Amino acid sequence: MNFSIGDLLDNAWQLAKRHGILLAVYLFVAYIVSNLFVLPFYPSGYWEAAMSGHSQPLVLTPTYYFGSSLNFLVMSVFSVGLVHALLRMTRGANENIAFSDFKLPLSVYLKYIVWQIFYSFIIGAGLVLFLIPGIFFGARLSQASTYIIDHPESGLSEAISFSWRVTKGQVLSLFGLFIVLAVIVLAGLLICCIGVCFTAIIAKFAITSLYIFFHDRNEGTPSSFDYQKMY
C-alpha cells in the first residue's frame, strides 16, 4: 500500500495553517541563534574574505570546523524539540511547541546527533560515488531519525530496522515526495527568509505525517488524521 503525496500535502497544509506561523518564527530564531554560537569561532577576516569571494582558504582552518560543529550541535537540539512538537501536533494536540518538547533523555539527543552524522555520510558517499545508491539509502533510512525521537527507549538498530521495513518498495514514491517538498521549500524564497521558514514547516509536517502513516500502519495504532484515504 502506497501513500498519497496529495493527501500528505493537504494534511500538512491544514496543520501549517494552525501552527505554521509560530513554528516558522521558531525555525528562524533557531537558525539565528545557532549561527550566533559559531560566529566567535570563525577565522579572523572570514566575512571580509567571503564578501570578496576568497573564503575557501579560511574554510579549511580548524576554528571554522569547530564553529561548524558547534552550529550542528546547537541546531540538532532545536531540531529534536521541533520534531517532538510536530509529532504531537500531527497526532492531534492543539498545543504549540513548548519547553516540555525538549524534556527528553540525553540519550535521545546523543542518538539523534550520531544518526544525523551517519545518515549524512551514507547519503553523501552514495551521491558522490553513483548517485542512485545515495537516493536509495536516503529513502530507505529516512524514517529513522523521527523514530528515535518518537521512541526514546529505542536503539539506533531498532530505528534503522523500522525505517528499512516500512519503506520497502517505496523508494520512487519517497523520491517524488522529496522533490515536491524541495520545490515547496524553495518557493518560500519568493517571500523572503521567513517565507522559507514557513514552507519548510509545511514540508516538515508532510514528512511527519508520512512517518505517522508508516508507523501506524506498521504498529496498528490509530492516527489523528484519516490515513486510510492515502492507500
Side-chain angles (χ1 to χ4, degrees):
M1 293 182 288
N2 295 319
F3 59 86
S4 165
I5 294 178
D7 288 332
L8 284 175
L9 294 179
D10 179 65
N11 189 66
W13 173 243
Q14 296 304 319
L15 288 165
K17 286 195 296 184
R18 295 200 299 269
H19 307 286
I21 298 297
L22 182 58
L23 291 179
V25 173
Y26 168 85
L27 200 60
F28 182 75
V29 171
Y31 175 79
I32 296 298
V33 171
S34 63
N35 279 279
L36 287 177
F37 269 89
V38 306
L39 288 179
F41 300 99
Y42 274 46
S44 177
Y46 173 84
W47 296 113
E48 292 83 352
M51 292 297 291
S52 61
H54 301 293
S55 60
Q56 185 60 33
L58 296 174
V59 169
L60 300 178
T61 61
T63 52
Y64 174 84
Y65 286 120
F66 178 80
S68 297
S69 298
L70 187 58
N71 174 279
F72 168 74
L73 293 175
V74 173
M75 200 63 196
S76 293
V77 173
F78 280 112
S79 296
V80 168
L82 176 60
V83 172
H84 192 257
L86 292 171
L87 284 166
R88 287 192 302 98
M89 297 172 195
T90 307
R91 284 174 169 144
N94 291 322
E95 298 83 3
N96 221 308
I97 191 168
F99 182 74
S100 59
D101 288 305
F102 296 88
K103 292 182 179 179
L104 295 169
L106 178 61
S107 60
V108 174
Y109 289 92
L110 295 177
K111 285 182 291 187
Y112 182 84
I113 290 170
V114 170
W115 172 248
Q116 288 298 103
I117 295 172
F118 183 66
Y119 185 59
S120 299
F121 175 79
I122 291 176
I123 295 178
L127 292 176
V128 169
L129 294 176
F130 296 105
L131 184 63
I132 294 179
I135 296 173
F136 176 80
F137 286 107
R140 294 300 303 274
L141 299 173
S142 61
Q143 306 304 305
S145 61
T146 307
Y147 188 89
I148 290 169
I149 298 171
D150 195 29
H151 294 268
E153 76 288 349
S154 68
L156 288 177
S157 60
E158 184 180 342
I160 293 172
S161 176
F162 167 82
S163 184
W164 195 263
R165 182 172 63 255
V166 300
T167 58
K168 183 179 181 180
Q170 305 279 357
V171 173
L172 291 180
S173 297
L174 287 168
F175 180 66
L177 173 64
F178 296 152
I179 292 296
V180 171
L181 294 181
V183 171
I184 291 174
V185 172
L186 291 176
L189 290 172
L190 299 177
I191 44 179
C192 197
C193 296
I194 195 65
V196 174
C197 292
F198 185 78
T199 52
I201 291 299
I202 296 175
K204 288 180 180 297
F205 267 127
I207 292 171
T208 307
S209 298
L210 175 63
Y211 165 82
I212 292 177
F213 164 70
F214 281 142
H215 182 274
D216 291 357
R217 184 183 68 169
N218 185 70
E219 301 293 334
T221 55
S223 174
S224 61
F225 67 97
D226 187 12
Y227 65 84
Q228 293 291 337
K229 68 180 181 178
M230 297 171 59
Y231 291 168

